[in-house]
Amino acid sequence: TREALALQIVMNVANIGLDVWFVWGMGFGAYGVGLGTACAEGVALLLGLLSATGFQPLGLWPLALLAMGLFALLAARATTPLRAFGLGWLFGLAHFTLGNNWIATAFTYQSEMPAALGWVAVPLLSLYLAIYPALAALAARLLVKRGPGRVSPGWAFALVFAAAWIVSEWMRGWVFTGYAWNPFAMVLLGPFDRPGLAAIAPVTGTYALSGLAVLLGCALVLLLRERNWLAGGALAALLLAGMYWP
């Protein structure tokens, strides 16, 4: 579609522009090509940061859902499964660095540890945690084949990516004794006086609720991309009702 094509063009133009600047403008030579590509991958980092704004105390759940859906679009359009893995790792690195910043704050209450250590520990931990979103992106990219003309498969990818996210999040809570904090399901928590869509967690479980959150984000982005305003508006209205009513 034109929106997906426009997104790809913007990324490619930014990549080329950065390559030219680093290679000729800055005199970095061949190293500049890699540096320019790394800067262009900042889109995945930005989406990772935005996806973490859905957690409290910010609670920007619409922004978090849209960021997740846009990331799924990027991963679906990755030229290779390895590139999808790399995009997923960058997304996860930013997502967990922001989402786990409370750990750094906790260090300020530990008299035996310097507070600055917390701001080092969080990014280091995120280097590992980012593997799990990367695995979800890799699995979806491997299982769903792209259509002709490098058009993303859309809904099929969204379903598989949501399922892969459930599995990767379960793995995160189990491997090496697990790190289950900050499941993506928490973006579906309502305001402090009501549970939001997280009210169904006793039925679905946390992992399935995370998959639902991922799928909702993908659905919003796909409906907007398809200009299906009626269905998109209906989904947005149902989301608002589920988050704020009763």
Side-chain angles (χ1 to χ4, degrees):
T1 64
R2 284 180 292 181
E3 290 81 1
L5 178 60
L7 178 62
Q8 192 67 34
I9 290 173
V10 169
M11 292 180 65
N12 289 341
V13 169
N15 192 11
I16 293 171
L18 289 167
D19 286 347
V20 172
W21 182 47
F22 286 130
V23 173
W24 283 287
M26 301 295 292
F28 287 164
Y31 173 72
V33 176
L35 188 58
T37 300
C39 289
E41 300 303 325
V43 174
L45 287 168
L46 176 61
L47 291 176
L49 283 173
L50 294 177
S51 69
T53 62
F55 298 130
Q56 297 297 339
L58 296 177
L60 302 177
W61 60 269
L63 186 59
L65 293 179
L66 289 173
M68 180 63 76
L70 286 170
F71 169 70
L73 181 63
L74 284 179
R77 296 183 61 81
T79 53
T80 65
L82 184 60
R83 180 167 173 78
F85 180 89
L87 288 171
W89 186 83
L90 290 170
F91 175 89
L93 177 63
H95 176 82
F96 288 113
T97 297
L98 179 59
N100 288 320
N101 71 87
W102 56 271
I103 297 177
T105 304
F107 272 76
T108 62
Y109 299 96
Q110 302 293 328
S111 59
E112 301 298 325
M113 297 182 184
L117 184 60
W119 298 105
V120 176
V122 172
L124 288 177
L125 176 63
S126 300
L127 293 174
Y128 160 68
L129 295 177
I131 293 174
Y132 296 99
L135 289 174
L138 173 65
R141 180 63 182 79
L142 285 171
L143 293 173
V144 181
K145 303 299 182 182
R146 295 189 306 172
R150 295 187 177 182
V151 176
S152 66
W155 292 100
F157 189 92
L159 288 168
V160 176
F161 180 62
W165 189 278
I166 293 174
V167 175
S168 67
E169 202 166 86
W170 170 81
M171 291 174 60
R172 177 164 67 87
W174 177 76
V175 176
F176 301 129
T177 73
Y179 185 94
W181 290 331
N182 280 20
F184 193 66
M186 293 302 98
V187 304
L188 296 182
L189 279 172
F192 289 107
D193 59 343
R194 53 180 59 89
L197 286 174
I200 66 174
V203 178
T204 63
T206 304
Y207 299 128
L209 188 60
S210 289
L212 176 61
V214 171
L215 186 59
L216 287 171
C218 293
L220 286 171
V221 169
L222 288 171
L223 289 173
L224 289 173
R225 189 186 69 170
E226 296 169 0
R227 289 190 174 85
N228 192 337
W229 311 123
L230 181 61
L235 178 58
L238 288 173
L239 270 171
L240 286 170
M243 293 295 287
Y244 296 108
W245 183 86

